[in-house]
Each structure stands twice: as C-alpha cells, then as structure tokens.
Amino acid sequence: MTVGETGRGMLELTRPVNVIAASVLTFIGAFVAGGVGEEPVAVVAAVAATGLAVGAGNAINDYFDREIDRINQPERAIPRGAVSPRGALVFSVVLFAGAVALALTLPMLAIAIAAVNLLALIAYTEVFKGLPGLGNALVAYLVGSTFLFGAAAVGEIGPAVVLFVLAGTATLTREIIKDVEDIEGDREEGLNTLPIAIGERRALVVAAVLLVLAVVASPVPFLRGEFGVAYLLVVVPADAVMLAAAYESFADPTAGQSRLKYGMFLASLAFIVGRAALEVSLPV
C-alpha cells in the first residue's frame, strides 16, 4: 500500500463531508451568538476543534466496527487494507489530541461541552449504538451541540439554546424515521433499534411528538426579543415543512426523512437570517 493510498484512506476515515458540515454548524452557532466579529480567534479554534473531533470520532468508530465492515462495508479504508487498525487508532488519537488542545483555549463552558462530546464520540459505537433510541438520541445531541459549542466559544449561548433544541430534536426524529426505513436490514443484522423494540408505528409517533415539542419551542427567540420578525418569516415555513415531513413518514419513511432535511436546513437559515437582521438594525 503506497503512502498516497494510505493518506486517502485516512481522509476517508474522517468522513470529510461530515467534518465540513459539523464545522459549519459550529460557525453558525458562533454567528447566531453574535461573536464572529468580536471573537474571530475563538471562532476559528472552535470550528477547527469541531472538525478534528468529528474526524477522530468517525475514525475510531471505523476502528471499533472493522469486523462488521469486513462484511457490510468491505470498501472502507480498514477492510480494504488502506489503513491498518492500529494506524486508524493512532490517527484518531492524534486528531482527538488536536481537538482537545484547541478546545482548551476556549471559555470553560465550551471546554465542558467539548469534554462531554469527545467522551460521547468515543463511547457511541461500543456503548450506545446498539441501544434502542439511545444511540439515536446521542447522535441528535451531538448534532445540536455543535451550535451550542460555537456559541459558548464566544461566551454567549443565548438563542443558540433554542437552535440546539430544534436541531437536536429534528435530528432525533429523522434518525428514528431512518431506522423505520431500514428496519428489515437492521433485523437481519441483529440490531435492536427503536422501531424493532417498540414497533414501527409507535416509533413514528414518538418521533412526531418530539418534533411537535421542538416546533412549539421555535418561536422562543422572537418572544424573548432576541430576534425580530425576519426570524419568524423563515422559521414558520421551516416548522411547516418539518411537521409535514413527520406526517408523511407514516406513509413513506424514505420521503419523510428526506423532506425533514430541508426543514432542518430552513430552521438553521432562520437563525442566520434573524441574527443578520439584528446586526443590520444595530447602531454603528
């Protein structure tokens, strides 16, 4: 195996698309908190720490899943021999170390969030992945917490708390719907997902109830005066799309979880628009 192939394999271990997506969410959290212009160094450190931590978490998950992947995902870096299991483990540790070093330059709240997230990333595959609902919940928390981490890095979590709740709950809903979509394959692999444990319809009801609770919380930044009407003009359509997705999932889980992604994107956009409108209205 050449150095180039090994390098490509290590890059694959990190899941670059996931790394970029999580880093963007952290930046959005900092932007929503109003700290991008005031604390640029902290924002860069938080974004970079997020990227390294997500890459490390994906790499260590592939290390733990290497035997399963030999059967289900033989094209992945470890099964095909591009990266050795030991190499993947060492690579993950190096990335985690870089994430920790960057996180330690941030305020205490951001350090606390980073510490919890790093432990969660390490524990996910070995502890939570096979537990019905809990694995979904951990993934949802990790997605939502990127917003909190970005906001905490600039010292003001403010409206990012609602964004965390909305994004986390929408992600949890989507994860449950995806498990309903994949129920036959998961049964064959011996997994005990929430739909397998309690039934498909009950799992979809749980997902829908959770999403309704998140939608009810979405106007809070407007009601508290943190954002203005511009925020509402985007978040209300986002709520409508997500609720429609949850309803649609009862008949077609594949279409429902796909539509839910668009609602989640619109919800994130609402916070960006709300903050941007606030910045424009602030006195120079």
Side-chain angles (χ1 to χ4, degrees):
M1 196 64 63
T2 67
V3 173
E5 289 172 326
T6 299
R8 283 193 297 274
M10 287 184 171
L11 182 63
E12 288 174 28
L13 287 175
T14 67
R15 310 288 197 281
V17 173
N18 292 351
V19 166
I20 293 169
S23 300
V24 169
L25 298 186
T26 296
F27 179 83
I28 291 173
F31 179 76
V32 167
V36 172
E38 289 75 10
E39 300 284 351
V41 175
V43 173
V44 171
V47 169
T50 299
L52 290 173
V54 170
N58 287 328
I60 202 166
N61 281 337
D62 273 14
Y63 170 79
F64 285 128
D65 281 349
R66 62 191 184 276
E67 296 304 326
I68 296 174
D69 285 345
R70 291 188 201 284
I71 300 170
N72 295 334
Q73 303 284 348
E75 77 285 352
R76 284 188 172 175
I78 297 176
R80 76 170 191 268
V83 181
S84 69
R86 179 180 175 80
L89 182 61
V90 171
F91 180 55
S92 176
V93 169
V94 170
L95 293 180
F96 272 126
V100 169
L102 288 168
L104 289 175
T105 67
L106 301 173
M108 282 304 301
L109 180 56
I111 293 174
I113 293 171
V116 171
N117 288 6
L118 288 172
L119 290 174
L121 283 166
I122 294 170
Y124 171 70
T125 300
E126 287 296 281
V127 179
F128 293 98
K129 191 174 181 179
L131 300 177
L134 291 181
N136 300 135
L138 186 61
V139 170
Y141 161 76
L142 287 169
V143 170
S145 70
T146 55
F147 295 111
L148 277 188
F149 181 59
V154 297
E156 177 56 63
I157 59 172
V161 172
V162 176
L163 182 52
F164 159 70
V165 172
L166 190 58
T169 308
T171 300
L172 178 54
T173 299
R174 184 166 177 263
E175 288 290 311
I176 293 172
I177 294 172
K178 283 170 62 181
D179 280 350
V180 172
E181 179 187 4
D182 297 336
I183 192 167
E184 293 305 322
D186 288 343
R187 275 202 181 106
E188 288 183 10
E189 292 185 26
L191 300 178
N192 189 28
T193 62
L194 189 64
I196 291 173
I198 68 173
E200 295 177 47
R201 186 167 183 82
R202 286 182 180 177
L204 289 171
V205 169
V206 169
V209 169
L210 289 170
L211 190 63
V212 168
L213 293 176
V215 166
V216 169
S218 65
V220 169
F222 172 77
L223 297 175
R224 292 181 57 184
E226 294 168 331
F227 291 150
V229 175
Y231 166 75
L232 277 186
L233 290 176
V234 184
V235 83
V236 169
D239 289 343
V241 170
M242 290 190 290
L243 290 174
Y247 178 78
E248 186 178 24
S249 67
F250 282 88
D252 188 345
T254 300
Q257 65 94 3
S258 179
R259 186 188 297 271
L260 190 56
K261 285 193 295 185
Y262 296 109
M264 292 165 65
F265 170 77
L266 272 178
S268 297
L269 183 62
F271 284 82
I272 296 171
V273 169
R275 183 66 210 183
L278 186 62
E279 293 283 351
V280 171
S281 65
L282 289 175
V284 179

